[in-house]
């Protein structure tokens, strides 16, 4: 049930796009763009770590 809720939330946010160029490899990027990637990687690592217990 939790995974269904997570997938629903993820797919609901798909239409939210920033203007072209954001991200580490875009024409320009802001430190907050990179911080978002770091935060997502940290959350994934935390989820994997917690799932092993």
């Amino acid at each position: 049930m939790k995974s269904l809720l997570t997938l629903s939330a993820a797919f609901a946010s798909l239409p939210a796009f920033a203007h072209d160029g954001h991200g580490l490899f875009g024409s320009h990027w802001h430190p907050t763009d990179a911080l978002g990637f770091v935060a997502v990687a940290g959350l994934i690592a935390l989820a994997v770590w917690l799932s092993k217990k």
Side-chain angles (χ1 to χ4, degrees):
M1 183 66 177
K2 286 184 181 181
S3 61
L4 180 61
L5 181 61
T6 303
L7 285 174
S8 300
F11 286 126
S13 64
L14 281 178
F17 295 110
H19 61 276
D20 187 35
H22 278 257
L24 292 176
F25 302 108
S27 58
H28 74 279
W29 61 279
H30 307 285
T32 54
D33 297 333
L35 183 60
F37 291 126
V38 171
V40 168
L43 289 174
I44 290 171
L46 178 65
V48 168
W49 183 68
L50 289 175
S51 69
K52 291 183 179 184
K53 289 188 173 189

